[in-house]
């Protein structure tokens, strides 16, 4: 593999710290590069700072120290609106607009961008199909008329709507049952093969990280432990990594219960 | 005098004076309508301002609160020396009623907007909505039910307080009430009080329906 050239780095964290007004530090001295077309998984337990890191990328938060570069430009040098329209964002709590139909929810950014209605409509149908929701049944429904998993898929469709080159996905498949989850993970891989978007994907599920990530960044209480390829991750001697792997092995052991 | 007899004589009084009852009713409606319109036009932006700049919270809500604690009759009196307002009784009454109606509107606008689900707000910002788009496409539509509840409360209060406008000669159904008090004639008092109560009930009912419909879609 050739060394990444500078324009290969779509997102770069340079010595980034994020501190609350009260002084509590949520992220300290984070350094991380995300390359074009890769799926970087942020893995870490609850409260380790994954969501905070994502919000620094689309400038929902601004670093207290250091800087986050997107396409080589500090987020603070971007026009915030332009930056955010450039980045698809699937938020952890989904956050669909309760007063909009599914059609309007998914078509929101294209609408803001002033696409003609026919094109928005076609795009929305295409996306709903993509996330496995039959357009005819879902277009005119409201979010409250959907199950949690269906809402989550609408959230993914909405983030993809204007075909942004960058995607931030915060536990996008968290509320899905294992079967649907496995299905949509497969779809994600197939899609990623085709679209080659740059994705930052947050999860605390190691299996999901190994399956979807080209690289895995492990976080622990606001610090980056390390960045690994899936193979490296499984072989790493780092105790924080081995603890993770062991926990999942134990869970797997449960599958063998009651077998001869 | 039995209740039935009294009722009969009250209805006769109303029938006999129906031209004046309806004229005062319309005058009352006008005072309330104009005041409410002004209160919404002033209160809504103030409520929005408070959500945008929290440091305005205390001065704005504080003053609206103070106004609310002034007895209504005294408020009419305080405004009397005001230059343009004091010249005409109806201006004065409308100004006082507007001030009175502000608090629930400002408060509910503020509560409604701040009550929008943080996840929805974050999604809107994360997708690159401008502050304006966020306000008009997300916050106001979602807060509309709560805002309307404030308008409803304010309207009902205003219908009641507007009866006092007659004390400064601004007319309205209060005329009957004050006249009835002076004449010690309950029929005359009721000829003002009953239509005012009906107006308050009607406003409450209609705005309640509207509020219910808006809350269902949000
Ligand atoms: N606005 C805030 N005020 C106070 N504490 C906050 C705030 N935002 C985040 N935190 C704290 O910062 C830490 C990191 O939060 P963050 O949301 O980034 O975690 P996470 O890794 O996404 O966790 P999870 O997997 O549970 O979503 C947590 O301890 C959280 O309580
Ligand atoms: Mg999180």
């Amino acid at each position: 593999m050739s060394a990444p050239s500078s324009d290969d780095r779509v997102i770069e964290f340079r010595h980034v710290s994020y501190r609350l007004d009260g002084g509590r530090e949520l992220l300290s001295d984070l350094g991380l590069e995300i390359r074009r077309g890769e799926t970087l998984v942020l893995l870490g337990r609850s409260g380790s700072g994954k969501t905070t890191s994502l919000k620094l990328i689309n400038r929902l938060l601004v670093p207290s120290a250091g800087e986050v570069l997107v396409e080589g430009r500090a987020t603070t040098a971007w026009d915030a609106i332009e930056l955010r329209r450039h980045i698809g964002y699937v938020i952890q709590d989904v956050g669909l607009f309760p007063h909009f139909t599914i059609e309007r929810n998914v078509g929101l950014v294209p609408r803001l961008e002033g696409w003609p209605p026919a094109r928005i409509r076609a795009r929305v149908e295409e996306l709903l199909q993509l996330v496995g929701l039959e357009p005819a049944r879902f277009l005119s429904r409201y979010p409250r008329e959907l199950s949690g998993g269906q809402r989550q898929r609408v959230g993914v469709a909405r983030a993809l709507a204007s075909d942004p080159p960058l995607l931030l996905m915060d536990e996008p498949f968290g509320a899905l049952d294992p079967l649907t989850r496995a299905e949509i993970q497969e779809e994600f891989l197939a899609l990623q093969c085709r679209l080659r978007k740059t994705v930052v994907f947050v999860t605390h599920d190691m299996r999901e990280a190994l399956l979807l990530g080209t690289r895995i960044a492990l976080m622990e209480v606001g610090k980056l432990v390390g960045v690994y390829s899936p193979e490296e991750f499984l072989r790493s001697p780092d105790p924080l990594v081995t603890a993770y792997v062991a926990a999942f092995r134990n869970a797997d052991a449960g599958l063998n219960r009651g077998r001869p | 005098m039995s209740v039935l007899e009294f009722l009969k004589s009250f209805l006769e009084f109303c029938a006999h004076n129906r031209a004046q009852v309806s004229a005062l009713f319309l005058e009352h409606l006008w005072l309330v309508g104009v005041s409410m319109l002004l209160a919404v036009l002033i209160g809504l932006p103030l409520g929005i301002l408070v959500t945008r700049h929290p440091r305005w919270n205390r001065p704005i809500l504080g003053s609206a609160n103070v106004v609310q604690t002034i007895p209504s009759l005294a408020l009419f009196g305080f405004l009397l020396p005001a230059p343009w307002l004091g010249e005409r009784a109806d201006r004065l009454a409308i100004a006082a009623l507007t001030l009175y109606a502000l608090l629930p509107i400002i408060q509910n606008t503020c509560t409604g907007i701040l009550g929008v689900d943080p996840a929805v707000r974050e999604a809107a910002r994360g997708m690159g909505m401008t502050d304006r788009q966020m306000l008009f496409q997300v916050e106001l539509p979602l807060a509309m039910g709560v805002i309307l509840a404030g308008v409803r409360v304010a309207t009902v209060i205003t219908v009641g307080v507007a009866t006092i406008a007659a004390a400064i000669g601004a007319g309205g159904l209060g005329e009957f009430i004050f006249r009835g008090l002076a004449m010690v004639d309950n029929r005359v008092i009721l000829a003002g009080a009953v239509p005012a109560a009906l107006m308050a009930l009607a406003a409450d009912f209609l705005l309640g329906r509207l509020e219910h419909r808006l809350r269902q879609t949000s």
Side-chain angles (χ1 to χ4, degrees):
Chain A
M1 207 171 17
S2 60
S5 70
S6 67
D7 47 321
D8 241 9
R9 291 185 300 235
V10 183
I11 303 168
E12 193 180 349
F13 283 76
R14 280 192 192 157
H15 301 289
V16 172
S17 299
Y18 180 75
R19 212 170 294 115
L20 291 171
D21 291 337
R24 210 177 118 217
E25 194 156 70
L26 300 187
L27 287 179
S28 46
D29 198 27
L30 192 70
L32 185 63
E33 285 172 12
I34 296 144
R35 302 172 196 147
R36 195 171 305 283
E38 80 166 332
T39 302
L40 183 108
V41 172
L42 286 179
L43 180 69
R45 56 166 95 197
S46 199
S48 57
K50 307 182 296 293
T51 299
T52 308
S53 307
L54 282 194
K55 290 185 185 170
L56 285 163
I57 299 174
N58 64 4
R59 204 174 137 183
L60 287 178
L61 300 174
V62 175
S64 316
E67 54 183 3
V68 179
L69 305 180
V70 174
E71 308 279 12
R73 197 154 26 125
T75 52
T76 46
W78 278 80
D79 171 61
I81 304 299
E82 192 193 341
L83 177 71
R84 290 172 191 152
R85 298 264 173 94
H86 188 78
I87 303 176
Y89 184 34
V90 183
I91 81 166
Q92 188 166 7
D93 305 309
V94 191
L96 297 183
F97 302 107
H99 58 308
F100 287 170
T101 59
I102 300 308
E103 178 175 5
R104 241 188 113 186
N105 264 288
V106 176
L108 186 92
V109 177
R111 230 177 104 106
L112 295 179
E113 299 272 87
W115 292 20
R119 183 166 163 226
I120 298 180
R121 173 76 181 219
R123 179 67 179 157
V124 170
E125 290 188 1
E126 180 191 346
L127 284 165
L128 285 181
Q129 210 94 58
L130 193 76
V131 297
L133 298 173
E134 203 185 310
R137 278 181 57 208
F138 289 96
L139 274 176
S140 52
R141 288 207 207 168
Y142 284 89
R144 64 171 181 278
E145 300 166 326
L146 267 58
S147 74
Q150 289 167 340
R151 271 181 235 157
Q152 223 167 24
R153 284 188 264 173
V154 174
V156 174
R158 181 175 65 174
L160 289 168
S162 67
D163 204 18
L166 264 74
L167 266 181
L168 309 179
M169 305 178 87
D170 200 345
E171 298 190 32
F173 310 143
L176 300 179
D177 63 277
L179 290 180
T180 314
R181 190 171 177 147
E183 262 173 42
I184 203 165
Q185 284 170 345
E186 284 304 319
E187 278 166 31
F188 176 84
L189 281 174
L191 203 71
Q192 216 7 28
C193 258
R194 247 182 41 222
L195 304 180
R196 285 270 158 233
K197 296 201 178 291
T198 307
V199 182
V200 185
F201 191 106
V202 167
T203 184
H204 43 226
D205 178 350
M206 184 190 73
R207 228 183 305 267
E208 190 167 65
L210 291 170
L211 182 66
L212 303 182
T214 44
R215 291 190 305 150
I216 298 168
L218 182 65
M219 296 188 63
E220 176 82 10
V221 285
K223 292 208 173 62
L224 184 66
V225 179
V227 185
Y228 316 85
S229 72
E231 299 75 34
E232 287 166 351
F233 188 82
L234 287 170
R235 286 197 315 259
S236 167
D238 190 304
L240 285 167
V241 178
T242 53
Y244 244 99
V245 177
F248 276 84
R249 288 248 158 84
N250 283 340
D252 278 349
L255 292 175
N256 296 324
R257 278 170 59 185
R259 295 241 176 109
Chain B
M1 197 158 50
S2 81
V3 174
L4 268 181
E5 275 171 41
F6 174 76
L7 204 64
K8 187 159 166 269
S9 112
F10 166 62
L11 288 176
E12 270 169 11
F13 176 84
C14 290
H16 193 74
N17 294 287
R18 63 177 175 276
Q20 204 186 1
V21 172
S22 48
L24 290 179
F25 186 88
L26 286 179
E27 199 168 37
H28 202 87
L29 196 62
W30 184 75
L31 286 177
V32 173
V34 176
S35 310
M36 284 313 299
L37 190 70
L38 288 174
V40 170
L41 287 179
I42 298 168
L44 200 65
L46 283 180
I48 294 168
L49 182 76
V50 167
T51 64
R52 295 299 188 267
H53 306 281
R55 65 201 161 85
W56 284 97
N57 194 323
R58 276 165 149 253
I60 290 179
L61 279 171
S63 342
N65 230 326
V66 167
V67 170
Q68 206 88 50
T69 61
I70 303 174
S72 28
L73 197 54
L75 185 59
F76 287 110
F78 284 147
L79 289 176
L80 206 55
W84 180 77
L85 290 175
E87 282 168 27
R88 278 180 48 182
D90 54 350
R91 279 182 203 161
L92 191 64
I94 287 169
L97 292 174
T98 302
L99 283 176
Y100 239 61
L102 278 179
L103 183 67
I105 295 177
I106 299 176
Q107 220 160 28
N108 280 39
T109 303
C110 199
T111 315
I113 289 179
L114 295 180
V116 171
D117 181 358
V120 170
R121 199 186 290 278
E122 192 191 315
R125 285 225 298 141
M127 300 177 79
M129 278 197 177
T130 60
D131 196 44
R132 231 187 142 73
Q133 287 165 336
M134 177 114 137
L135 180 67
F136 287 106
Q137 296 184 31
V138 178
E139 292 175 316
L140 282 181
L142 287 175
M144 207 35 90
V146 180
I147 295 174
L148 219 60
V151 173
R152 185 174 156 201
V153 170
T155 308
V156 172
I157 294 174
T158 305
V159 172
V161 177
T163 55
I164 296 169
I168 55 160
L173 290 162
E175 295 237 328
F176 275 132
I177 299 177
F178 284 108
R179 203 184 306 162
L181 284 170
M183 294 160 63
V184 201
D185 185 340
N186 282 338
R187 292 176 316 167
V188 185
I189 295 179
L190 284 179
V194 171
L198 289 178
M199 188 186 294
L201 283 174
D204 190 51
F205 175 74
L206 291 175
L207 288 170
R209 286 260 304 251
L210 194 60
E211 184 192 326
H212 184 71
R213 273 185 38 193
L214 281 173
R215 275 192 206 265
Q216 272 190 332
T217 52
S218 64

